[in-house]
Amino acid sequence: MTIHWCGTGLSTVPGLRRLIKAGHDVAVWNRTVAKAREAVGDLTDNIHAFSPEALSAEVKAGDVVVSMLPGDWHVQLAEMAISKGANFVSSSYIAPEMRALDAAAKTADVRVVNEIGLDPGIDHLMAHHLVADYRASDAYDPKNAISFHSYCGGVPKFANAFRYKFSWAPVGVLKALKSPSRSIRHFSELNVSRPWDALGRFDAPLSTPETFEVYPNRDSIPFIEDYKFDPAWPVKDFVRGTLRLNGWADAWADIFAEVGTASDERLTEIAEGLLKQNAYDEGEPDRVVLCVSFEAQKDGQTVWHKTYVMDAWGDARGTAMARLVSVPVSLAVEAVLNREMPAGVQAAPSDPKLVERFMDEVQTLAQHLTVVDHLA
């Protein structure tokens, strides 16, 4: 069975190299062959120029197609994989068009795994761990009020005046600022048009406690079901969001003032200027902080409260972001090859054995990873 890994961009290489070094049969596909050779040419010569036609001609039943290409390729490649009786893995959110492939994937007995990078991905694994831990605790009571907060952010290891740095063209970051979000705050649905309208504070229980600015993103509410909350649980707060260094909102005030009404052309212009002024220097370490917190209250008193925290930064192995996005993808590929995940369209696994195994690997990727019990 061959792993067809498509895309060798900035966040893909560590996981790809891990699979090749482990002895898997890996075919590497990239639109620019020279870039793929630069990434893994010291390990393999099984490198090809990507096109959907060329890839389709090589995919066989039982193979795994990995898409680390831009998101608009994922559904097309997943459809092709299913038609061949092959599996599919990506790190991206499950789009409605991807979810619509579930019946076809089950009929073909293949696995279509998404949301298994950093965020989404590692955050899901942390959430599944905490929910299972709470359910098994003496404090568990279906009447307890639940507060859930999940915040992730890529930030510079060494803060700059702009409180942020870019590894690549920041158009995507700017466009995300125009996206509405939906979450739960104080038992009510919170709909926000722009992130800065719901800016908050999060005290992260890292090895050295640190405060960050946070805001909700996308639609958090479907993840209540994905994380296997009991429908009877009263949910006080539920938010999945983005984490930024303190001072970020002030530093970005001029961007906020313009981005809401800016055309795509103007966003590109802004992005080019930001990249020139706030790009990472060669060899400069990035940093990734991820905190997933689960709290249960009974009659207004906290009876269970734990936070899964991760702090990672770039080192001799490369960037933290690349490790934390691509290595979980490679773990999912191996789980698919071992048929440890069910057929159909799915996100990061909730099976306790897989969660534990994946998080053991994440332990080696991050400089700090632990579960903090706030009541201990």
Side-chain angles (χ1 to χ4, degrees):
M1 291 177 285
T2 300
I3 301 164
H4 298 273
W5 186 289
C6 305
T8 58
L10 288 172
S11 293
T12 68
V13 176
L16 171 57
R17 292 181 67 87
R18 178 182 173 275
L19 290 172
I20 297 171
K21 287 180 178 179
H24 295 288
D25 179 13
V26 182
V28 182
W29 300 81
N30 199 54
R31 287 174 289 185
T32 307
V33 170
K35 288 185 178 179
R37 289 200 182 108
E38 185 180 338
V40 295
D42 59 320
L43 299 178
T44 182
D45 57 6
N46 192 359
I47 298 173
H48 311 271
F50 171 78
S51 75
E53 297 79 15
L55 174 65
S56 179
E58 296 297 323
V59 174
K60 304 290 192 297
D63 288 354
V64 183
V65 176
V66 181
S67 180
M68 300 298 280
L69 298 168
D72 52 6
W73 279 105
H74 296 339
V75 171
Q76 177 182 342
L77 295 185
E79 287 175 332
M80 181 274 291
I82 293 169
S83 73
K84 300 273 188 175
N87 307 282
F88 176 86
V89 177
S90 92
S91 62
S92 297
Y93 279 101
I94 299 175
E97 297 82 4
M98 182 70 74
R99 197 172 295 281
L101 302 178
D102 183 57
K106 288 175 177 173
T107 299
D109 190 27
V110 298
R111 289 122 195 92
V112 177
V113 184
N114 301 268
E115 300 187 13
I116 186 55
L118 164 61
D119 173 12
I122 296 174
D123 57 338
H124 292 349
L125 299 172
M126 290 177 168
H128 290 312
H129 170 90
L130 292 174
V131 170
D133 192 8
Y134 168 64
R135 282 182 176 275
S137 74
D138 292 339
Y140 176 74
D141 183 333
K143 296 178 182 178
N144 290 342
I146 304 302
S147 292
F148 177 92
H149 299 86
S150 177
Y151 294 115
C152 183
V155 298
K157 176 79 167 95
F158 304 113
N160 58 340
F162 194 56
R163 316 305 285 171
Y164 194 81
K165 286 195 172 184
F166 302 97
S167 301
W168 51 77
V171 172
V173 175
L174 297 182
K175 287 185 176 180
L177 292 175
K178 300 177 71 171
S179 301
S181 68
R182 193 166 73 114
S183 56
I184 293 178
R185 181 182 292 177
H186 301 306
F187 300 104
S188 298
E189 185 174 312
L190 175 66
N191 291 279
V192 178
S193 298
R194 300 288 183 260
W196 55 89
D197 292 333
L199 198 66
R201 163 189 170 137
F202 184 78
D203 297 319
L206 301 173
S207 50
T208 300
E210 192 170 345
T211 299
F212 295 91
E213 294 179 3
V214 293
Y215 59 86
N217 59 23
R218 294 179 174 263
D219 185 353
S220 297
I221 293 176
F223 291 91
I224 295 174
E225 180 179 354
D226 290 352
Y227 292 161
K228 301 183 174 10
F229 279 33
D230 190 310
W233 293 354
V235 178
K236 178 181 179 182
D237 295 298
F238 190 96
V239 59
R240 298 178 71 257
T242 297
L243 172 153
R244 294 287 183 251
L245 292 179
N246 260 344
W248 172 79
D250 287 342
W252 282 58
D254 290 344
I255 305 295
F256 298 158
E258 186 173 3
V259 74
T261 56
S263 64
D264 285 354
E265 182 180 5
R266 176 56 183 152
L267 285 179
T268 300
E269 186 180 323
I270 295 171
E272 289 173 352
L274 291 176
L275 188 61
K276 288 179 182 177
Q277 299 163 16
N278 301 284
Y280 278 99
D281 294 328
E282 185 70 29
E284 180 184 357
D286 66 329
R287 182 187 182 199
V288 173
V289 178
L290 171 58
C291 299
V292 179
S293 180
F294 188 105
E295 179 180 5
Q297 292 184 326
K298 187 181 189 70
D299 300 325
Q301 297 296 313
T302 298
V303 294
W304 198 93
H305 187 194
K306 293 186 180 182
T307 303
Y308 216 139
V309 296
M310 181 183 75
D311 196 356
W313 51 88
D315 55 22
R317 298 172 290 178
T319 69
M321 186 68 73
R323 295 197 302 270
L324 295 166
V325 170
S326 65
V327 172
V329 170
S330 73
L331 296 171
V333 169
E334 290 175 329
V336 165
L337 288 172
N338 293 333
R339 298 179 70 85
E340 295 176 291
M341 301 179 75
V345 176
Q346 60 206 282
S350 60
D351 176 86
K353 291 180 181 178
L354 289 180
V355 170
E356 182 179 358
R357 192 168 81 214
F358 283 29
M359 291 308 298
D360 282 347
E361 186 71 26
V362 173
Q363 182 88 52
T364 71
L365 306 176
Q367 281 83 355
H368 178 71
L369 181 75
T370 192
V371 178
V372 176
D373 185 347
H374 298 270
L375 301 184

